[in-house]
Amino acid sequence: MRVVIVTGAGQGLGRAHAHAFAAEGFSVVVNDVGEAAETVVAEITAAGGVAVASVGDVSDWSYAERLVGTAVETFGDLHVLVNNAGLVRDRMLVGMSEAEWDLVLQVDLKGHFCPLRHAAAHWRAQAKAGRPVSGRIINTSSGAGLMGSVGQGNYSAAKAGVLGLTFVAAAELARYGVTVNAIAPAARTPMTAAVFADMMATQDAAFDAMAPENVSPLVVWLGGEEAGSVTGRVFEVEGDRIGLADGWRYGHRREIGRRFEVAEAGKAVLDLIAEAAPPTPVYGA
């Protein structure tokens, strides 16, 4: 039986992921900062699944180590880490406080790194001991991390950081039998329901396109053994759509074989922009 940790699983996307993994036969460690983790565990066990709660802050280094230990001690191993925990403190940059910046970067970015780091150490030790490893990490970014979002400079920076972390971790952990991917989901959660109320109000439609449960099948598949060839990728997922995000690539260049003069540099910039496709607009721009 495969074992999964889902962070921030007391509500929204994390809760949906935890239920979906349990329905597929995974043993689930449900993390959250409060009593909601116990509630989700009770829901899973009532439905015949296997789950245990772990309450704590995933951006705390020591707690993140204990979280990985909970999976190993309770279920004998860890196979999948779903980094989902996050929060928002939306404000235009000119009005954003240092505390609002620091909190979002701490929870949304460091809160991905800490569990990833300790899960990676567990899998590295297994690999060095000659044990087969089929580790999976699924990180949670956002359209804000891909494109930026007006009023969410802190959140956009954190979620863009999650993408950078994903690419590096995929490259570094492949040798141990670990894949690392990211999703950029759009769904109705406590965070999005208030900020994007009109967009998220699809409950009464024939198909509830914004239900968080729509995102979970992709996450569960990425956590499975059959997903071993997929790593370092970013998937946009919303409603009935799954897309592969095509990120930064090298574009057109100008070379002159010597140092550019100022005017030459300016002309090169304008020529390059004229040749390139326009960038995708920032959300809310």
Side-chain angles (χ1 to χ4, degrees):
M1 181 180 292
R2 285 176 73 77
V3 179
V4 58
I5 292 171
V6 183
T7 72
Q11 59 185 355
L13 283 167
R15 176 180 176 274
H17 299 339
H19 275 278
F21 274 107
E24 292 294 319
F26 286 69
S27 297
V28 185
V29 179
V30 178
N31 158 265
D32 212 287
V33 292
E35 296 178 358
E38 297 282 1
T39 301
V40 173
V41 168
E43 294 170 350
I44 289 172
T45 55
V50 177
V52 64
S54 178
V55 177
D57 176 4
V58 290
S59 69
D60 180 278
W61 181 264
S62 297
Y63 169 72
E65 184 175 22
R66 294 196 302 274
L67 175 61
V68 171
T70 295
V72 176
E73 293 159 14
T74 305
F75 299 120
D77 206 347
L78 172 67
H79 304 93
V80 186
L81 168 64
V82 179
N83 278 320
N84 169 78
L87 52 73
V88 293
R89 292 294 184 270
D90 294 350
R91 197 175 301 280
M92 291 294 191
L93 290 170
V94 295
M96 186 175 294
S97 70
E98 181 181 14
E100 289 165 335
W101 175 271
D102 287 348
L103 178 62
V104 172
L105 270 290
Q106 174 184 329
V107 175
D108 291 44
L109 183 52
K110 186 181 178 185
H112 271 57
F113 167 67
C114 291
L116 182 153
R117 162 61 174 76
H118 292 298
H122 168 72
W123 288 320
R124 180 181 63 179
Q126 284 188 327
K128 288 190 172 184
R131 296 177 57 188
V133 176
S134 178
R136 306 284 182 264
I137 298 173
I138 300 98
N139 292 328
T140 305
S141 184
S142 166
L146 292 169
M147 314 300 180
S149 180
V150 170
Q152 294 189 307
N154 46 6
Y155 184 71
S156 296
K159 291 302 186 180
V162 166
L163 298 178
L165 176 63
T166 298
F167 302 144
V168 173
E172 291 186 357
L173 302 183
R175 72 193 71 179
Y176 306 123
V178 179
T179 68
V180 188
N181 295 285
I183 61 168
R188 184 175 54 255
T189 70
M191 285 199 305
T192 61
V195 180
F196 306 108
D198 292 341
M199 183 189 304
M200 297 297 155
T202 62
Q203 297 99 315
D204 298 327
F207 172 57
D208 184 359
M210 289 295 116
E213 289 77 10
N214 298 330
V215 177
S216 299
L218 172 62
V219 175
V220 174
W221 187 85
L222 289 171
E225 292 191 69
E226 63 272 29
S229 64
V230 180
T231 194
R233 298 290 190 167
V234 181
F235 298 92
E236 293 184 276
V237 54
E238 170 188 344
D240 62 348
R241 297 192 295 273
I242 295 174
L244 182 63
D246 189 9
W248 291 107
R249 294 178 179 271
Y250 293 116
H252 298 289
R253 298 183 181 185
R254 288 290 187 276
E255 297 178 13
I256 60 173
R258 55 172 172 77
R259 182 184 300 131
F260 280 90
E261 299 292 339
V262 173
E264 291 174 330
K267 184 178 185 305
V269 168
L270 295 176
D271 287 347
L272 289 169
I273 290 173
E275 294 171 3
T280 303
V282 172
Y283 286 107

